[in-house]
């Protein structure tokens, strides 16, 4: 009884300090995001008003004409396509690696493999870009031609009029390699936390390793794996230098993965040295605004999906 | 020991090129001090066009070898940034792909601003760095290619799409060209090279190039790559491809370069085209109007870039005058074609030297 006020007083000071700091930190983050949004919108506003092409459906992007003619349709397609293909390749491989590292190998072998994967994350993206266009791209070109010949009747795999390896296909594969470490690392941590009792219970009931994985580990880690994939997607959507170095710009928009193109991030980076007026910069910032909204939407979607996955398990 | 030497000698005999002294293409060294160069010493700062980077780096190295203890810095941040820095007084001179604008853009006249920076004296444009634009290609078994301007225009606009098209064959009698699609590369970023190349196409082809010359590529075919390096690497790694680029970028990678109307690209032929250029500036200002149809024996696709300096009233005039005198000297100019640039033709050289001598 006599001790109670003392405990209350100390805990109250801690509460106030910690609570205040947490509030300031989270408020600050929200404020920064808001400020970025306002900056993008205020810079892009005038060019958007003057734009003589449809901003959402045009595939043109001409900042220097008067009035400017620009639309984000082609950029949106290329950005989403490269990221989606990268994700479709990276996620299964990452989950496989994570399962291997947590369920099949242990000890020194596991940490050696994990070390190598983590090393991939430390490679700067400019290196991935140069490697992609000079070595990896030419090396995979025969397989690209094979797919093009077999599936060329589908517009998505049609002849994209790009002679070099600078295609969406090459860019997607390099992006897949780039986002592999982050997805692997996160899913590995989630899988590793599968309750021991659940696994041992399944084994005691005579389940094989695969059955343990399928019935115990995967359902437990589903929402974590989805969240990891979304983080990878975020990185792929915003990747700049590697994509800029690999992708060829094309004059005519084409939906094929064997065509070139530009993403939101790469078009801004490529043209930044020639932003001689704030107005011209505004045209490109309008593309940045769409990427901002897109990333926002992807993250919101990821939260919803992850929450649902949690409820089910 | 002696066996090892013998073996090495044998290897050299087999691979003569491998054992030749490695000389980089960037070595236009000048051993002796040209007339009029006095080495006043100090620190000189310039900024501007990246197309002048290799040229000026070599010049700075050669000049500081002759004048030890002198520091000359050139930041290649782009023409626009260079002119801005010059007007703002941050650098002593600017390198630019185009002369100072005399007409207002966004309410600003560059030439007037520059005059203000020079204490009321005009700034002058000195054409000193000439980069020929090479049409580099990569076609197996074709070591010599000749193209007329209108064929070049139609290839780069996607109207001629295969190497064995009759138009290309007509320019190359006796040469077998493959029945392959032409891969075209262009600069994806905005660039002075694109602007000069399209200006050339527009003026030399009488309508075969339908687009307005501009820094951004307007052609309706091909694929865009990042900077000269990206374009040149594209040609290097892609069979049956073609691209325009600064000559230096093609030289560096040993790419094959097409002749235009039978004239192969060399320092001499490019310099010959400059003799036909007309000086349109006055009072020491030497802005040029290039002639894109200069006639026999001249390689027409040449890009003129400028050094922008205060005629009077600038910062550091003595060192600037000395450095530019060195750059314009005959014996210096003699070596620039190994770097992928065209030397100043004699008549223009004298005019440039006169303008430099007047810098105070």
């Amino acid at each position: 009884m006599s001790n109670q006020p003392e405990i209350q007083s100390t805990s109250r000071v801690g509460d106030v300090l910690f609570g205040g700091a947490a509030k300031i930190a989270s408020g600050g983050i929200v404020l920064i995001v808001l400020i970025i949004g306002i900056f993008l919108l205020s810079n892009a506003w005038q060019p958007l008003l003057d734009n003589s092409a449809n901003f959402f459906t045009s595939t043109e992007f001409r900042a220097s004409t008067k009035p400017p003619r620009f639309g984000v349709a082609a950029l949106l397609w290329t950005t989403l396509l490269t990221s989606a293909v990268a994700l479709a390749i990276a996620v299964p491989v990452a989950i496989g690696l994570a399962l291997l590292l947590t369920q099949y190998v242990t000890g020194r072998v596991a940490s050696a493999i994990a070390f190598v994967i983590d090393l991939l994350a430390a490679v700067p993206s400019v290196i991935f870009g140069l490697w992609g266009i000079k070595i990896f791209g030419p090396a995979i070109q025969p397989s690209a031609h094979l797919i093009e010949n077999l599936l060329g009747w589908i517009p998505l795999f049609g002849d994209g009029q790009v002679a070099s390896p600078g295609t969406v296909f090459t860019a997607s594969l390099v992006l897949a390699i780039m986002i592999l470490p982050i997805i692997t690392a996160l899913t590995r941590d989630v899988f590793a936390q599968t309750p021991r009792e659940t696994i041992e219970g399944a084994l005691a009931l005579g389940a094989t390793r695969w059955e343990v994985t399928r019935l115990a580990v995967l359902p437990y880690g589903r929402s974590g794996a989805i969240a990891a994939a979304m983080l990878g997607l975020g990185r792929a959507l915003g990747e700049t230098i590697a994509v800029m170095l690999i992708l060829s710009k094309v004059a005519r928009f084409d939906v094929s993965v064997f065509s070139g193109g530009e993403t939101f991030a790469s078009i801004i980076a490529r043209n930044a040295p020639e932003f001689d007026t704030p107005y011209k910069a505004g045209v490109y910032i309008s593309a940045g605004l769409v990427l901002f909204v897109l990333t926002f939407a992807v993250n919101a979607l990821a939260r919803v999906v992850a929450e649902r996955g949690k409820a089910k398990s | 020991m002696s066996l090892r030497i013998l073996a090495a000698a044998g290897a050299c005999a087999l691979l003569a090129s491998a054992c030749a002294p490695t000389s980089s293409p960037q070595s236009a060294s000048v051993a002796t001090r040209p007339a009029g160069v006095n080495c006043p010493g100090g620190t000189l700062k310039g900024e501007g066009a990246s197309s002048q980077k290799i040229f000026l780096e070599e010049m700075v190295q050669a000049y500081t070898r002759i004048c030890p203890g002198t520091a000359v810095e050139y930041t290649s941040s782009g023409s626009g940034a260079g002119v801005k820095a010059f007007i703002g007084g941050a650098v002593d001179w600017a390198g630019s792909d185009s002369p100072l604008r005399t007409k207002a853009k966004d309410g600003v006249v560059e030439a007037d601003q520059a005059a203000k920076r020079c204490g009321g004296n005009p700034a002058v444009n000195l054409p000193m760095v000439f980069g020929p634009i090479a049409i580099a290609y990569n076609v197996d078994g074709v070591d010599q290619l000749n193209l007329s301007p209108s064929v070049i225009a139609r290839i780069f606009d996607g109207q001629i799409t295969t190497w064995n098209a009759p138009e290309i064959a007509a320019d190359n009698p006796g040469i077998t060209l493959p029945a392959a699609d032409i891969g075209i590369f262009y600069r994806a970023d905005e660039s002075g090279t694109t602007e000069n190349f399209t200006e050339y196409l527009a003026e030399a082809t009488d309508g075969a190039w339908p687009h307005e010359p501009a820094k951004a590529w307007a052609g309706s075919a091909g694929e865009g790559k990042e900077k000269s390096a990206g374009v040149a690497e594209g040609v290097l790694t892609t069979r049956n491809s073609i691209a325009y680029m600064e000559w230096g970028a093609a030289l560096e990678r040993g790419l094959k370069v097409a002749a235009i109307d039978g004239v192969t690209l060399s320092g001499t032929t490019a310099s010959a085209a400059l003799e036909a250029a007309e000086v349109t500036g006055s009072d020491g200002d030497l802005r040029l109007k290039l002639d894109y149809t200069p006639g026999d024996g001249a390689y027409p696709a040449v890009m003129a870039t400028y050094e922008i300096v205060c005629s009077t009233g600038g910062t550091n005039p003595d060192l600037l005058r000395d450095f530019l005198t060195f750059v314009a000297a005959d014996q210096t100019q003699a070596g620039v074609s190994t770097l992928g640039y065209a030397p100043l033709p004699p008549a223009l050289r004298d005019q440039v030297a006169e303008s430099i001598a007047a810098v105070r």
Side-chain angles (χ1 to χ4, degrees):
Chain A
M1 186 74 192
S2 62
N3 279 343
Q4 217 166 3
E6 252 183 56
I7 291 170
Q8 261 181 358
S9 82
T10 50
S11 73
R12 211 171 269 156
V13 171
D15 268 351
V16 169
L17 281 180
F18 180 74
K23 271 177 202 150
I24 290 171
S26 56
I29 293 289
V30 172
L31 197 69
I32 288 171
V33 172
L34 266 179
I35 289 172
I36 293 173
I38 292 167
F39 160 80
L40 292 173
L41 201 60
S42 67
N43 275 277
W45 191 248
Q46 195 54 44
L48 279 172
L49 288 182
D50 298 345
N51 188 6
S52 61
N54 187 309
F55 184 64
F56 295 104
T57 59
S58 173
T59 57
E60 263 184 291
F61 209 100
R62 294 187 194 283
S64 299
T65 55
K66 283 192 173 122
R69 297 182 56 77
F70 60 100
V72 293
L75 299 176
L76 187 65
W77 174 258
T78 311
T79 307
L80 288 178
L81 186 63
T82 45
S83 304
V85 175
L87 208 59
I89 295 166
V91 167
V93 177
I95 289 179
L97 275 171
L99 290 175
L100 175 84
L101 293 175
T102 53
Q103 310 300 319
Y104 288 87
V105 294
T106 45
R108 214 167 265 179
V109 184
S111 47
I113 297 173
F115 179 71
V116 171
I117 296 166
D118 288 346
L119 263 187
L120 266 187
V123 177
S125 53
V126 63
I127 302 293
F128 273 115
L130 288 172
W131 171 77
I133 193 63
K134 286 191 183 191
I135 296 163
F136 184 66
I140 60 165
Q141 233 180 350
S143 5
H145 285 313
L146 190 70
I147 299 173
E148 200 178 315
N149 287 337
L150 289 175
L151 300 173
W153 50 276
I154 307 171
L156 191 60
F157 299 103
D159 179 6
Q161 308 292 333
V162 169
S164 76
T167 58
V168 168
F169 183 69
T170 309
S172 305
L173 291 180
V174 172
L175 278 178
I177 298 169
M178 291 176 75
I179 63 176
L180 190 64
I182 189 166
I183 303 179
T184 309
L186 289 172
T187 40
R188 188 186 64 205
D189 287 350
V190 178
F191 290 159
Q193 280 164 22
T194 312
R196 213 55 247 160
E197 311 87 73
T198 321
I199 294 175
E200 274 163 19
L203 286 171
L205 288 171
T208 61
R209 259 194 195 287
W210 164 238
E211 280 163 345
V212 169
T213 303
R214 191 164 57 93
L215 298 170
V217 181
L218 280 179
Y220 179 82
R222 191 200 288 139
S223 70
I226 291 170
M230 289 301 149
L231 270 179
L233 180 60
R235 174 153 193 212
L237 287 174
E239 177 49 46
T240 309
I241 299 294
V243 174
M244 182 176 90
L245 288 172
I246 292 169
L247 269 189
S248 287
K249 186 178 169 181
V250 287
R252 266 175 298 114
F253 171 67
D254 194 314
V255 295
S256 174
V257 292
F258 299 115
S259 179
E262 284 183 294
T263 66
F264 289 117
S266 79
I267 198 172
I268 297 172
R270 180 169 280 163
N271 290 285
E274 300 287 337
F275 285 173
D276 28 59
T277 61
Y279 186 88
K280 194 171 167 188
V283 173
Y284 289 95
I285 285 175
S286 73
L289 186 65
V290 179
L291 179 61
F292 183 71
V293 174
L294 183 69
T295 319
F296 213 77
V298 165
N299 279 325
L301 191 74
R303 285 202 167 270
V304 172
V305 173
E307 283 304 316
R308 262 205 210 147
K310 221 175 258 172
K312 265 182 198 165
S313 65
Chain B
M1 186 67 188
S2 63
L3 257 177
R4 213 178 275 167
I5 291 168
L6 268 177
C12 281
L14 288 169
L15 301 160
S17 61
C19 291
T22 47
S23 62
S24 74
Q26 282 105 5
S27 58
S29 56
V30 178
T32 53
R33 186 188 288 194
V37 175
N38 307 314
C39 301
T43 304
L44 189 66
K45 277 186 189 163
E47 183 173 340
S50 52
S51 56
Q52 301 187 0
K53 183 171 175 256
I54 296 174
F55 181 95
L56 285 174
E57 271 174 2
E58 186 61 32
M59 289 299 149
V60 167
Q61 219 174 30
Y63 180 76
T64 46
R65 221 172 11 239
I66 289 175
C67 303
T70 313
V72 183
E73 295 162 16
Y74 182 76
T75 314
S76 60
S77 53
S79 299
V83 169
K84 260 184 218 162
F86 174 71
I87 287 170
V91 293
D92 304 315
W93 98 94
S96 174
D97 287 342
S98 45
L100 289 171
R101 273 195 294 269
T102 50
K103 285 184 189 134
K105 188 194 176 192
D106 300 318
V108 168
V109 182
E110 279 177 356
D112 294 351
Q113 283 191 316
K116 205 179 285 170
R117 183 250 193 248
C118 300
N121 306 294
V124 293
N125 305 287
L126 306 174
M128 294 181 68
V129 186
F130 300 96
I133 298 169
I135 313 289
Y137 65 97
N138 174 358
V139 182
D140 286 349
V142 179
D143 292 324
Q144 274 187 324
L145 186 68
N146 177 39
L147 300 168
S148 64
S150 67
V151 169
I152 296 173
R154 289 163 68 195
I155 289 175
F156 278 96
D157 200 35
Q159 294 164 31
I160 299 175
T161 56
T162 54
W163 280 106
N164 62 350
E167 293 92 336
I168 303 179
D171 282 344
N172 297 281
I175 293 175
T176 324
L177 289 151
D181 285 347
I182 303 176
I184 301 157
F185 291 100
Y186 61 86
R187 287 282 291 269
D189 51 324
E190 295 194 6
S191 104
T193 310
T194 301
E195 189 177 31
N196 278 274
F197 180 62
T198 49
E199 244 165 43
Y200 161 70
L201 288 181
E203 283 191 32
T205 63
D206 208 23
W209 180 255
H211 311 282
E212 195 71 25
K215 284 189 163 188
W217 179 252
S220 43
E223 41 185 310
K225 286 289 180 192
E226 187 64 17
K227 304 246 164 15
S228 308
V231 170
E233 288 291 331
V235 174
L236 189 67
T237 53
T238 310
R239 285 171 69 193
N240 301 316
S241 63
I242 191 166
Y244 63 93
M245 63 190 75
E246 285 119 69
W247 188 25
L251 280 180
E252 224 171 276
R253 294 168 181 82
L255 297 175
K256 292 179 277 194
V257 174
I260 298 182
D261 269 344
V263 181
T264 52
L265 172 52
S266 72
T268 320
T269 55
S271 188
L274 295 170
E275 282 169 20
E278 183 195 341
V279 174
T280 56
S282 54
D283 296 330
D285 182 29
L286 300 174
R287 59 180 71 219
L288 286 184
K289 171 99 182 64
L290 291 177
D291 182 353
Y292 287 123
T293 47
D296 287 346
Y299 183 86
V302 179
M303 161 173 169
T305 69
Y306 298 84
E307 306 310 319
I308 296 169
V309 304
C310 288
S311 56
T312 313
T315 43
N316 231 341
D318 294 332
L319 181 54
L320 182 59
R321 188 176 61 241
D322 204 61
F323 176 64
L324 293 179
T325 304
F326 170 79
V327 174
D330 273 330
Q331 59 203 92
T332 320
Q333 289 287 320
V336 301
S337 59
T338 55
L339 304 170
Y341 294 88
L344 275 161
L348 188 59
R349 197 209 78 85
D350 292 345
Q351 280 178 289
V352 169
E354 203 177 304
S355 286
I356 293 169
V359 169
R360 282 291 176 274

